[in-house]
Amino acid sequence: MQREQLADFLRRRREAIRPAEVGIADGPRRRTIGLRREEVAMLAGMSVDYVVRLEQGRSSQPSTQLLGALARALRLSEDERDHLFHLAGHQPLPADGVARLARAGLIRMLDLLGDTPALVISDLGEALAQNRAALLVMGDHTGHRGDRRYVAYRWFTDPAARAVCPPEDQENHARQLVADLRAVAGRRCGDPTVTGLLDRLQAASAQFRRLWEGHEVAVRRADRKTFLRPGVGSLLMDCETLVTPDQRQRLLVLTPADAETRERLDLLRVLGTQEFPADAATTPLR
């Protein structure tokens, strides 16, 4: 671990970011160049004290999970992210691990979208980053571990994940999830991450096995979805998907499909996250 070089790199990257790039107001009285340490800590989900110790070269070796969070908070490019890992004494993540870190350009787009709900997901349906507006609509999807990272696994193994979707939409949504996974499996033939997930899904869910045997294939690019949100009712959203050139990451943008939903979204912004139930993070994505 190269503590002094790591400290210098983190400090310079923090100072290079304008607050507006990460959705923070840049007031006239602001004297700090770039972001404050407490703002980096907030964006990365870690303590201010640890950020301070990192920048002073006094920290313990950060984990790869923590480095990924810092890379997202500091909007690092892929080359910068790899450099960060090297300085911290870790090997850069392999191809699948890199795909699990949202691309810096997509994160900047999340910031620019402001009050429009948007999130970055992997081709396997793992939420990699989401803006505050998406958090209000569907809860936090970025904190899951193991197979629960994948929306299809939650959908087919956790009744709470299906309960937030109108009953009349559930079968169609399940078919779409499986058809999209089938397309990914064809594109990533032989990838152990994909084959392992599919094996575990077939072992866990009879419904998944039935739908998988149907061999439907469809990449999801545009859709209309109803979200059942406690406190405000149903939200009818148009879902548009932008895909990276390697098809490993997707930017999902949600816009209200009618005037009633627009009004309910305004109410959500007022309510904030204070009324999220414990299982709010099970709201289905794509």
Side-chain angles (χ1 to χ4, degrees), residues 78-283:
E78 293 182 13
D79 291 337
E80 290 171 332
R81 183 192 58 231
D82 287 351
H83 184 61
L84 174 67
F85 272 70
H86 283 304
L87 293 178
H90 292 288
Q91 288 298 312
L93 296 175
D96 185 64
V98 170
R100 292 180 53 206
L101 293 176
R103 295 168 64 99
L106 294 182
I107 294 181
R108 293 190 184 98
M109 292 181 70
L110 289 184
D111 298 331
L112 292 172
L113 285 166
D115 287 339
T116 300
L119 62 158
V120 180
I121 59 176
S122 73
D123 56 353
L124 287 177
E126 179 184 1
L128 307 177
Q130 57 189 128
N131 62 12
R132 180 179 182 275
L135 180 67
L136 293 176
V137 170
M138 59 183 60
D140 185 0
H141 283 270
T142 61
H144 294 294
R145 296 292 180 266
D147 283 335
R148 285 187 57 79
R149 300 195 312 266
Y150 307 112
V151 61
Y153 192 88
R154 296 197 302 275
W155 178 267
F156 287 104
T157 63
D158 184 356
R162 300 187 295 275
V164 295
C165 182
E168 63 272 18
D169 295 345
Q170 291 184 15
E171 177 68 16
N172 183 57
H173 182 70
R175 290 178 57 191
Q176 290 176 329
L177 283 173
V178 174
D180 188 70
L181 267 180
R182 177 68 79 169
V184 175
R187 190 168 60 248
R188 295 173 58 177
C189 181
D191 187 323
T193 300
V194 180
T195 56
L197 174 62
L198 295 175
D199 288 344
R200 293 188 294 276
L201 270 169
Q202 293 189 72
S205 170
Q207 183 189 23
F208 180 85
R209 291 195 299 273
R210 172 175 60 82
L211 294 173
W212 187 256
E213 291 171 358
H215 210 122
E216 294 185 40
V217 183
V219 177
R220 304 188 69 182
R221 297 184 176 89
D223 195 9
R224 177 167 287 186
K225 178 181 293 298
T226 298
F227 293 86
L228 300 181
R229 173 65 170 86
V232 297
S234 62
L235 300 171
L236 185 62
M237 308 291 289
D238 284 324
C239 310
E240 191 68 38
T241 304
L242 304 178
V243 183
T244 57
D246 63 2
Q247 301 187 63
R248 297 293 290 271
Q249 294 188 9
R250 308 170 183 181
L251 176 66
L252 175 61
V253 181
L254 310 176
T255 55
D258 56 29
E260 187 175 15
T261 296
R262 283 194 293 272
E263 293 176 357
R264 291 176 177 177
L265 283 176
D266 290 338
L267 176 59
L268 263 182
R269 296 185 189 105
V270 174
L271 293 175
T273 59
Q274 59 186 338
E275 295 183 1
F276 273 128
D279 62 352
T282 60
T283 306

Side-chain angles (χ1 to χ4, degrees), residues 9-43 51 55 73-75:
F9 180 66
L10 290 173
R11 185 170 57 252
R12 291 181 184 277
R13 290 304 93 207
R14 174 174 62 81
E15 293 174 349
I17 299 178
R18 293 183 302 167
E21 293 182 62
V22 295
I24 297 174
D26 190 2
R29 297 183 179 179
R30 188 181 183 95
R31 297 179 181 178
T32 304
I33 299 175
L35 296 180
R36 299 185 178 99
R37 291 188 179 100
E38 56 265 30
E39 292 167 342
V40 172
M42 175 191 69
L43 292 169
V51 173
E55 289 197 3
L74 296 172
R75 306 307 193 248

